[in-house]
Amino acid sequence: MPQLSSGGGDDLGANDEMIAFKDEGEQEEKIQENAFTERDLADLKSSLVNESEINQSPNAAAVRRGQQGEHRGFPEKHREHLDGVSKQDGGMYKTPAYPGYPFLMLPDPYLPNSSVSPSSNKVSVVQQSHGMHPLTSLLPYSNEHFSPSPPHLPTDMSQKTGVHRHQSQDLSGYYSLPPGSVGQITPSMGWFPHSLMLGPSGMHPTGIPHPAIVPPSGKQDHDQYDRGMYVKPQVEAKREKEPKKPVIKKPLNAFMLYMKEMRAKVIAECTLKESAAINQILGRRWHALTREEQAKYYELARKERQLHMQLYPTWSARDNYEAGLSGVAGEKSKADWGKKKRRKREKQQDSNTGQMFCWWGNPRESETRDSS
DNA sequence: ATTCCTTTGAAGACC
DNA sequence: GGTCTTCAAAGGAAT
């Protein structure tokens, strides 16, 4: 997939994958989208039965018609549009489009018992039954939303971090940024949620860890016992002495942001729980979005990458590649990694030979076939 | 307990 | 430079 090494300005996503649906009737698309849920479910279920059959369904043909060729021509327009978007933050960020922006999604992993009263800290999100985050009203983000002392947080959290919580407007007090980088934060970055304002070690001053930072996998921490006798491999023992590096996760891309936001909604609507199935639906919906709607997420993702870069200038995606090869997991993971690689290759071969693509417009479809 | 599945997009590796 | 691979999230299913 040709990536846009865009001169001037960040690339906003894989342009060739952007869909120019809208040239032929956005309204229809909107209606379609509403009808998606039930159809998605039905489609998905039937697709699980026999994908090749579905390929021939009239419905499938209709959807394919709707998607074929309509992606083209979007990129440039899209970019233009996005330029506009970035200039009108007000329009974009006041929309309820990002309740699930990951840095606002504090509650789940980070605030285990975070049923916070609306007045205490709106950053905390409790997924509502209808799938929308109450965070909607959060954007643009403001310091007002940050309670100095979230009641749900252990009090010693802040003590441990050694950071005083206060509602200073001075970002330099919050960001753990390289010298001078605070000044590099453009005004447009002012909307960044507080959860991004980290202290040392990736902790927010409130004690809330940055979502991109996860503690080293606990999997390896399980002590190994052999008939009651503790056996700790030398390598592991050695590793234990070294301070464990927190794993810095990749910033979420546009689709991931979209998934995060919409997952609950789809789950509620479809009563589906299986992520693989949900992701299929979300993939379809993603392509059904208008370019404006997608643009919002591309812009968000761009800003997230931007901030990620500011926060972790030395971080590279490669770091996490290698986590499986060396580092934490050691030899086992090295082997697993090899297996994984093989599996993926085999899978791809299968898809090439087996016509295993989704009729509803799997965006990889063309890639897969082209590459064969 | 661990891996797989499934999606899109970004980024690194490789040829 | 084009292509391939990995990893981000998520959680049930499979191993």
Side-chain angles (χ1 to χ4, degrees), chain A residues 44-103:
Chain A
L44 195 61
K45 283 175 180 171
S46 48
S47 75
L48 292 175
V49 176
N50 187 339
E51 295 196 34
S52 58
E53 279 181 17
I54 292 165
N55 256 332
Q56 299 159 6
S57 84
N59 190 16
V63 172
R64 266 202 307 275
R65 263 198 309 277
Q67 296 193 335
Q68 272 175 359
E70 56 194 8
H71 291 221
R72 308 306 158 219
F74 179 25
E76 290 311 314
K77 287 184 185 175
H78 177 61
R79 180 167 305 283
E80 287 170 21
H81 164 72
L82 288 179
D83 288 342
V85 166
S86 52
K87 285 173 194 160
Q88 44 163 317
D89 272 11
M92 157 168 185
Y93 296 118
K94 72 185 172 192
T95 71
Y98 318 110
Y101 185 57
F103 296 118

Side-chain angles (χ1 to χ4, degrees), chain A residues 51 107 177 199 293 320:
Chain A
E51 295 196 34
L177 296 174
E293 287 167 331
N320 295 1

Side-chain angles (χ1 to χ4, degrees), chain A residues 9-305:
Chain A
D10 288 274
D11 53 320
L12 294 166
N15 299 320
D16 58 340
E17 303 215 18
M18 294 297 288
I19 308 169
F21 325 80
K22 291 315 104 181
D23 293 336
E24 37 190 355
E26 283 190 21
Q27 282 187 331
E28 188 184 316
E29 288 261 350
K30 282 287 178 192
I31 296 167
Q32 276 183 352
E33 194 181 346
N34 290 335
F36 254 134
T37 302
E38 289 181 17
R39 211 183 63 207
D40 284 341
L41 191 54
D43 292 347
L44 195 61
K45 283 175 180 171
S46 48
S47 75
L48 292 175
V49 176
N50 187 339
E51 295 196 34
S52 58
E53 279 181 17
I54 292 165
N55 256 332
Q56 299 159 6
S57 84
N59 190 16
V63 172
R64 266 202 307 275
R65 263 198 309 277
Q67 296 193 335
Q68 272 175 359
E70 56 194 8
H71 291 221
R72 308 306 158 219
F74 179 25
E76 290 311 314
K77 287 184 185 175
H78 177 61
R79 180 167 305 283
E80 287 170 21
H81 164 72
L82 288 179
D83 288 342
V85 166
S86 52
K87 285 173 194 160
Q88 44 163 317
D89 272 11
M92 157 168 185
Y93 296 118
K94 72 185 172 192
T95 71
Y98 318 110
Y101 185 57
F103 296 118
L104 300 174
M105 298 282 285
L106 290 173
D108 19 280
Y110 309 109
L111 303 173
N113 302 315
S114 61
S115 53
V116 183
S117 75
S119 60
S120 63
N121 186 351
K122 292 179 185 175
V123 173
S124 177
V125 181
V126 178
Q127 288 279 4
Q128 296 177 342
S129 56
H130 53 66
M132 287 300 290
H133 288 293
L135 271 180
T136 300
S137 61
L138 249 186
L139 302 168
Y141 210 88
S142 115
N143 282 349
E144 298 165 11
H145 302 298
F146 227 66
S147 160
S149 179
H152 56 287
L153 285 177
T155 49
D156 64 342
M157 287 282 279
S158 59
Q159 290 164 1
K160 279 180 183 172
T161 57
V163 183
H164 297 291
R165 290 192 299 259
H166 58 90
Q167 292 182 292
S168 169
Q169 295 284 335
D170 181 10
L171 290 184
S172 61
Y174 283 107
Y175 280 98
S176 171
L177 296 174
S181 54
V182 168
Q184 295 166 14
I185 298 177
T186 64
S188 69
M189 294 173 74
W191 63 275
F192 281 120
H194 286 73
S195 59
L196 286 175
M197 303 176 184
L198 306 177
S201 77
M203 291 291 280
H204 184 278
T206 60
I208 301 167
H210 188 293
I213 299 182
V214 297
S217 165
K219 297 169 191 172
Q220 288 77 30
D221 293 341
H222 292 229
D223 288 345
Q224 300 173 5
Y225 288 87
D226 186 11
R227 292 189 200 122
M229 291 288 289
Y230 175 68
V231 179
K232 191 181 286 284
Q234 273 191 334
V235 184
E236 194 180 329
K238 212 171 189 177
R239 216 177 283 135
E240 223 171 52
K241 288 181 183 176
E242 303 166 9
K244 289 172 181 171
K245 285 183 191 170
V247 177
I248 299 170
K249 298 265 191 174
K250 287 175 76 169
L252 303 190
N253 64 38
F255 179 69
M256 287 292 150
L257 293 171
Y258 172 73
M259 282 216 310
K260 205 156 188 174
E261 178 185 330
M262 299 304 292
R263 170 177 300 280
K265 200 174 180 181
V266 172
I267 290 173
E269 289 172 357
C270 303
T271 64
L272 269 176
K273 284 185 177 177
E274 212 172 334
S275 289
I278 291 165
N279 292 350
Q280 282 192 347
I281 292 172
L282 286 170
R284 275 183 68 189
R285 288 192 177 190
W286 173 251
H287 284 284
L289 289 180
T290 66
R291 65 186 78 172
E292 285 80 14
E293 287 167 331
Q294 283 191 341
K296 291 185 262 180
Y297 293 95
Y298 281 109
E299 178 71 5
L300 260 182
R302 186 185 67 81
K303 293 198 172 189
E304 187 176 333
R305 286 198 305 276

